[in-house]
Amino acid sequence: MRGLQEIAVTDSDVCISSMTICERCQVLSEALEKASARNGELEQRVARLEAERAEFEAQLAEMSKLCELQQADLDRYKKAYEASRPNHPERAPREQLQLAFERVLETFGIEAPANDSERGDDTDANSAEGEAPRGRGRNSKPKKRHPHGRRNLELMNLPIVEQRLEPEEVTAAGGVGFKLIGEEVSERVARRPAQWVCLRVVRLKYVAIEALTEPDKGLKDSRQEGDAGSDNSRGSSINGESTTYVELAWEPDTRILMAPLPAGLWPNVMADVSAIAHIITSKYDDLLPLNRQQNISARDGFMVPKSTQCGWLKAADEFCAPVVDAMFEDSRNNAFVIATDATSAPVLPPRLDDEAKAEAARLWPVERRKCESWHIFVFIADRDHVVFRYDREHNGKVFAKLLDGYHGHLLADAASVFDVLYREHGMTEHGCWFHCRRPFYRALETDPLRALEALSLIGKLFEVDRELRAQKLDLATFTQLRAERAGPILALLDQWIELNRDRVDPRSPLEAAVTYYTNQRDALRRFLEDGRIRLDNNESEGALRKLVVGLSNWVFFANETGIRWYTTFRSLIASCMLHRLNPEIYLEQLLRLVPHWPKHRVLELAPKYWARTVANLDPKWRAILERPWEPGVIASAELEPGRNIATPVNRAA
């Protein structure tokens, strides 16, 4: 084409060269007019295209804005939907899970275990939540239903207050003419109102009689006339009888004898430790803010102001903090596996100084202090200790600082903040199967058939673990049997993942679930190596649940002191629940004993060792644990077998 144009140009040049000047001008003028017209058409076309582009850009901007609004609506609807079902358990119907498991077996040509059909309905999708299904064990018998109706109150170890009633006719006759033939007994549960008492400690003061000088002159009888107003005498009335006290004169070096203050009482503190332990338990276990406790105490007859309660908590924290520090140090030095998690906690910042306050007042007429987001961490060391810590940041450096010196196994979620611990601090990563299960559960709405298949396989893992734990096996046997029975399930899950990896829709919830499992596969399978490693991290998440629920009552921490008190007392209370101790009795006895205990042995006062420590105390130390109103009696902090502790259930970790 280009060659033809060159030939045409050459021909025109030849034609123009043979023309006269006037003819040439005429031809060039016509060519110029055609070029100008063509140029005008092109300019109009460009203008039209620019107008269209501007219109399309306006439409794109409008559509982008509309998409943003629609995304905001979707986020709001999703938040409202989640809020409409708080703590919604991530459950799937057991029948559907069993059918899905059978489909998986059929897909890969595997025969179902002989006992699987017998307990088909026992495949529990909620195993990751720690809920026990109806069938336990391969050969377990159906569990008997507990009879309904009232409990036998005589077996509840409650104090009995008996009220005996006689007919009016018998009372009026004094019992004459009537014969007792029996009695009808009914029992009800009653509650005595809580009561504050004044613990009066009276210490008598004595002096040896031999130390008195000139007894006849030293004794000044106030009954003599003229001495009634003497400063050396005073009188009182006891039971209606007049009693007169006399002043004694003794040598300057005479020693006054007086019993020491009981070791279980704190000097210069208005409260007995029983009251302080009650306030600690009410706030950090029953989640009652101090202002509510102030109102409750006023209703019970003695108002304890918030400021007074804070003073008591401050004194208790000084005694309890070393115990918690020793627990954490013992965890880092001796724990085989530590389960950890974290959550945010709003903390009110300190008030501004005068200069900053003046600048803020110029910008905002009303002082505004926005809460800062701090973080509370929980560490569960084996079955030994539960320790809470806090920090302003939530990153790998903070975890590395808190776990400095620990090089064991770490059970956590798949957050990137833990990567530095595995890479630089020699810790071994262990994944949480409950976190792995959650993406498959979320995929039920878009791909229910395949999501149920994955959930059924994960449920089988928890079923194996639960059945073996119920048999109370030794560690070596449990580890071996769990690996033997869970290994084939994991192999089947790997085959299922490979089969469906390329079949799932890109960017779908199921694709995200498959990706999560692929990335965490090695960490999720390490539980086969040792029976002390749990399949899930629900215990640490459940330990943080008290904080989340408590924030609904007290909204935020007033300062760093408040969050420090929380981590101290919550560590002791959670550890008490781990070792089945009554937290209020434990705290009361701890606060009586710890001021006198050797500082290098405070670990012996941790809940893990508390029962053994109390059992080994000699009479001198045991006397410190006695309550003033129960001399010679030491209350047991250990809960009776079969009595439950009200612990939070983690429905949606």
Side-chain angles (χ1 to χ4, degrees):
M1 186 69 182
R2 182 178 178 183
L4 294 176
Q5 291 178 350
E6 292 177 351
I7 294 173
V9 172
T10 304
D11 292 343
S12 62
D13 291 342
V14 173
C15 294
I16 291 175
S17 61
S18 61
M19 293 180 182
T20 62
I21 295 177
C22 294
E23 292 175 348
R24 293 179 182 176
C25 291
Q26 184 66 27
V27 172
L28 293 175
S29 297
E30 293 176 357
L32 182 60
E33 291 177 0
K34 292 180 180 180
S36 299
R38 179 61 177 170
N39 187 37
E41 294 177 358
L42 294 176
E43 289 179 352
Q44 292 177 2
R45 185 177 180 182
V46 169
R48 186 170 62 254
L49 292 175
E50 289 181 349
E52 293 178 356
R53 185 189 67 178
E55 182 180 358
F56 290 149
E57 289 178 349
Q59 294 178 2
L60 180 61
E62 184 177 355
M63 295 300 296
S64 299
K65 184 177 180 180
L66 180 61
C67 289
E68 292 178 359
L69 295 176
Q70 290 177 343
Q71 184 62 43
D73 290 339
L74 290 175
D75 294 340
R76 186 169 64 255
Y77 294 151
K78 182 178 179 181
K79 185 176 180 180
Y81 174 71
E82 295 294 338
S84 65
R85 50 171 195 174
N87 302 328
H88 179 72
E90 298 178 356
R91 295 176 178 171
R94 294 173 179 170
E95 297 80 4
Q96 296 184 20
L97 286 172
Q98 181 62 24
L99 292 174
F101 181 69
E102 293 174 357
R103 283 201 308 272
V104 174
L105 296 179
E106 183 180 355
T107 300
F108 296 99
I110 302 175
E111 294 184 3
N115 63 314
D116 191 70
S117 59
E118 299 176 2
R119 59 176 188 207
D121 291 342
D122 296 336
T123 304
D124 192 358
N126 314 305
S127 303
E129 301 164 14
E131 296 184 2
R134 292 184 176 86
R136 288 179 180 266
R138 290 174 174 257
N139 302 316
S140 61
K141 297 180 180 180
K143 189 175 182 180
K144 295 182 179 180
R145 296 175 59 89
H146 291 289
H148 296 282
R150 292 185 177 182
R151 289 175 290 176
N152 188 351
L153 298 182
E154 292 183 356
L155 304 179
M156 298 294 103
N157 297 324
L158 296 175
I160 297 177
V161 177
E162 188 173 273
Q163 182 181 13
R164 304 188 67 88
L165 303 176
E166 295 187 355
E168 294 181 357
E169 297 82 356
V170 177
T171 303
V176 179
F178 296 92
K179 179 181 179 181
L180 179 65
I181 61 174
E183 59 184 15
E184 181 177 332
V185 180
S186 62
E187 295 178 338
R188 292 166 176 81
V189 177
R191 183 180 184 275
R192 292 173 175 171
Q195 185 179 15
W196 295 86
V197 298
C198 175
L199 178 61
R200 177 177 295 169
V201 181
V202 180
R203 296 186 290 168
L204 304 181
K205 302 166 70 172
Y206 289 89
V207 64
I209 297 178
E210 293 80 2
L212 298 176
T213 60
E214 299 183 10
D216 294 338
K217 297 181 180 180
L219 298 174
K220 299 180 180 180
D221 192 343
S222 61
R223 291 171 294 183
Q224 296 180 0
E225 295 182 2
D227 292 342
S230 174
D231 294 338
N232 296 327
S233 65
R234 54 190 177 92
S236 64
S237 178
I238 300 178
N239 296 329
E241 299 181 0
S242 177
T243 303
T244 302
Y245 296 89
V246 297
E247 295 292 342
L248 303 177
W250 51 78
E251 296 291 342
D253 59 347
T254 302
R255 184 167 60 93
I256 301 175
L257 301 179
M258 183 174 61
L261 193 69
L265 302 181
W266 290 1
N268 304 322
V269 177
M270 183 178 69
D272 180 65
V273 294
S274 58
I276 300 176
H278 174 73
I279 290 176
I280 294 174
T281 308
S282 298
K283 177 173 174 58
Y284 299 105
D285 194 31
D286 300 334
L287 310 180
L288 290 176
L290 297 184
N291 63 312
R292 295 187 188 179
Q293 294 194 55
Q294 173 180 306
N295 298 336
I296 293 173
S297 64
R299 189 168 64 236
D300 292 337
F302 178 74
M303 187 187 73
V304 183
K306 292 186 297 182
S307 58
T308 302
Q309 297 179 58
C310 288
W312 296 349
L313 293 178
K314 178 182 178 181
D317 175 74
E318 294 176 354
F319 288 125
C320 294
V323 179
V324 177
D325 293 340
M327 291 164 52
F328 196 34
E329 185 68 21
D330 181 60
S331 301
R332 289 182 295 187
N333 293 336
N334 302 313
F336 176 78
V337 57
I338 293 181
T340 183
D341 200 6
T343 189
S344 59
V347 179
L348 200 64
R351 294 186 179 275
L352 303 175
D353 54 23
D354 296 338
E355 182 178 353
K357 186 180 296 185
E359 178 64 19
R362 185 181 64 84
L363 300 176
W364 302 286
V366 180
E367 181 182 0
R368 300 177 181 177
R369 291 194 294 162
K370 185 178 180 180
C371 287
E372 300 174 350
S373 181
W374 289 39
H375 301 273
I376 290 182
F377 309 86
V378 62
F379 302 93
I380 303 180
D382 297 329
R383 300 291 299 176
D384 299 338
H385 309 294
V386 181
V387 180
F388 289 80
R389 284 292 188 258
Y390 72 93
D391 200 278
R392 289 176 176 268
E393 304 292 337
H394 178 253
N395 52 44
K397 293 182 179 179
V398 173
F399 275 102
K401 179 182 66 175
L402 293 174
L403 293 175
D404 183 31
Y406 178 71
H407 306 289
H409 302 264
L410 190 68
L411 177 59
D413 55 31
S416 59
V417 296
F418 300 107
D419 292 345
V420 65
L421 303 180
Y422 312 135
R423 186 175 58 250
E424 301 179 6
H425 296 270
M427 301 183 196
T428 304
E429 178 183 9
H430 292 273
C432 172
W433 275 98
F434 192 89
H435 282 82
C436 179
R437 178 185 181 275
R438 180 173 297 138
F440 289 103
Y441 176 81
R442 292 173 178 171
L444 284 174
E445 298 179 357
T446 58
D447 198 339
L449 291 179
R450 282 184 287 195
L452 282 171
E453 293 176 356
L455 290 175
S456 67
L457 293 173
I458 297 175
K460 290 295 181 180
L461 290 176
F462 284 95
E463 182 179 334
V464 168
D465 182 83
R466 183 176 58 251
E467 291 177 359
L468 294 177
R469 289 188 185 277
Q471 299 178 23
K472 307 297 183 181
L473 304 171
D474 61 87
L475 178 60
T477 305
F478 175 80
T479 302
Q480 178 183 355
L481 292 179
R482 187 172 70 169
E484 291 176 354
R485 295 180 56 183
I489 300 175
L490 292 174
L492 187 58
L493 181 58
D494 286 340
Q495 296 180 44
W496 185 91
I497 291 292
E498 291 300 324
L499 178 64
N500 293 278
R501 186 189 307 277
D502 298 330
R503 298 182 180 182
V504 298
D505 295 333
R507 303 178 64 181
S508 65
L510 188 58
E511 194 270 343
V514 171
T515 302
Y516 183 97
Y517 173 78
T518 303
N519 295 338
Q520 298 297 314
R521 179 181 179 277
D522 294 339
L524 290 170
R525 297 171 65 92
R526 290 196 179 102
F527 74 92
L528 299 174
E529 301 172 0
D530 197 290
R532 289 172 288 184
I533 302 172
R534 289 176 52 89
L535 272 71
D536 59 77
N537 194 30
N538 285 0
E539 286 190 346
S540 60
E541 295 191 351
L544 291 172
R545 184 174 176 79
K546 283 281 188 179
L547 172 63
V548 178
V549 177
L551 287 175
S552 301
N553 294 339
W554 56 71
V555 184
F556 56 83
F557 293 99
N559 46 44
E560 183 178 355
T561 301
I563 197 172
R564 185 179 70 250
W565 290 354
Y566 179 89
T567 56
T568 298
F569 297 126
R570 190 63 205 152
S571 298
L572 296 174
I573 293 174
S575 297
C576 284
M577 293 181 176
L578 187 66
H579 296 284
R580 298 191 58 77
L581 299 178
N582 185 314
E584 186 167 346
I585 296 178
Y586 165 78
L587 287 170
E588 176 186 344
Q589 295 179 345
L590 173 67
L591 294 176
R592 295 189 190 280
L593 194 61
V594 69
H596 315 282
W597 197 258
K599 296 186 181 301
H600 64 281
R601 294 171 51 196
V602 291
L603 182 61
E604 299 175 12
L605 303 181
K608 176 186 177 182
Y609 307 106
W610 181 254
R612 185 177 67 188
T613 299
V614 173
N616 295 332
L617 291 177
D618 57 32
K620 173 186 174 182
W621 287 98
R622 294 178 67 86
I624 299 177
L625 299 181
E626 298 176 2
R627 292 168 170 167
W629 56 90
E630 294 178 344
V633 178
I634 299 179
S636 175
E638 297 182 73
L639 291 174
E640 299 176 3
R643 179 170 296 184
N644 296 327
I645 307 178
T647 55
V649 178
N650 188 20
R651 295 295 185 186

